[in-house]
Coordinates of all heavy atoms in Angstrom, one line a residue:
D285 N 37.4 76.8 -4.4 CA 36.4 76.7 -3.3 C 36.3 75.2 -2.9 O 35.2 74.8 -2.4 CB 35.1 77.3 -3.7 CG 35.2 78.8 -4.0 OD1 36.0 79.4 -3.3 OD2 34.4 79.2 -4.8
L286 N 37.3 74.4 -3.0 CA 37.2 73.0 -2.8 C 36.8 72.8 -1.3 O 36.0 71.9 -1.0 CB 38.4 72.3 -3.2 CG 38.5 70.8 -3.0 CD1 37.4 70.2 -3.8 CD2 39.8 70.2 -3.4
D287 N 37.5 73.5 -0.4 CA 37.2 73.3 1.0 C 35.8 73.6 1.4 O 35.2 72.9 2.2 CB 38.2 74.2 1.9 CG 39.6 73.7 1.7 OD1 39.8 72.5 1.3 OD2 40.5 74.5 1.9
D288 N 35.3 74.7 0.9 CA 33.9 75.1 1.2 C 32.9 74.0 0.6 O 31.9 73.6 1.3 CB 33.5 76.4 0.5 CG 34.3 77.5 1.2 OD1 34.8 77.3 2.4 OD2 34.5 78.6 0.6
E289 N 33.2 73.5 -0.6 CA 32.3 72.5 -1.2 C 32.4 71.2 -0.4 O 31.4 70.5 -0.2 CB 32.7 72.3 -2.6 CG 32.4 73.5 -3.5 CD 32.9 73.2 -4.9 OE1 33.4 72.1 -5.2 OE2 32.8 74.1 -5.7
Y290 N 33.6 70.9 0.1 CA 33.8 69.7 0.9 C 33.0 69.8 2.2 O 32.3 68.8 2.6 CB 35.3 69.5 1.2 CG 35.6 68.3 2.1 CD1 35.6 67.0 1.5 CD2 35.8 68.4 3.4 CE1 35.8 65.9 2.3 CE2 36.1 67.4 4.2 CZ 36.1 66.1 3.7 OH 36.3 65.0 4.5
F291 N 33.0 70.9 2.8 CA 32.2 71.1 4.1 C 30.7 71.0 3.8 O 30.0 70.3 4.5 CB 32.5 72.5 4.6 CG 31.5 72.9 5.7 CD1 31.6 72.3 7.0 CD2 30.5 73.8 5.5 CE1 30.7 72.7 8.0 CE2 29.6 74.1 6.5 CZ 29.7 73.6 7.7
E292 N 30.3 71.6 2.7 CA 28.8 71.5 2.3 C 28.5 70.0 2.0 O 27.4 69.6 2.4 CB 28.5 72.4 1.2 CG 28.7 73.9 1.5 CD 28.7 74.7 0.3 OE1 28.7 74.2 -0.8 OE2 28.8 76.0 0.5
N293 N 29.4 69.3 1.4 CA 29.1 67.9 1.1 C 29.0 67.1 2.3 O 28.2 66.2 2.5 CB 30.2 67.3 0.1 CG 29.9 65.9 -0.2 OD1 28.9 65.6 -0.8 ND2 30.8 65.0 0.1
M294 N 29.9 67.4 3.3 CA 29.8 66.6 4.6 C 28.5 66.9 5.3 O 28.0 66.0 6.0 CB 31.0 67.0 5.4 CG 32.4 66.6 4.9 SD 32.5 64.8 4.7 CE 32.5 64.4 6.5
V295 N 28.0 68.2 5.2 CA 26.7 68.5 5.8 C 25.6 67.6 5.2 O 24.7 67.1 5.9 CB 26.4 70.0 5.7 CG1 25.0 70.3 6.1 CG2 27.4 70.8 6.5
V296 N 25.6 67.5 3.9 CA 24.6 66.7 3.2 C 24.7 65.3 3.6 O 23.7 64.6 3.9 CB 24.7 66.9 1.7 CG1 23.7 66.0 1.0 CG2 24.4 68.3 1.3
E297 N 25.9 64.7 3.7 CA 26.1 63.3 4.0 C 25.7 63.0 5.5 O 25.4 61.9 5.8 CB 27.5 62.9 3.7 CG 27.9 62.9 2.3 CD 29.3 62.4 2.1 OE1 30.1 62.3 3.0 OE2 29.6 62.1 0.9

Side-chain angles (χ1 to χ4, degrees):
D285 299 327
L286 183 60
D287 293 337
D288 293 338
E289 294 176 3
Y290 178 77
F291 168 75
E292 292 165 357
N293 181 60
M294 293 298 294
V295 170
V296 174
E297 292 183 348

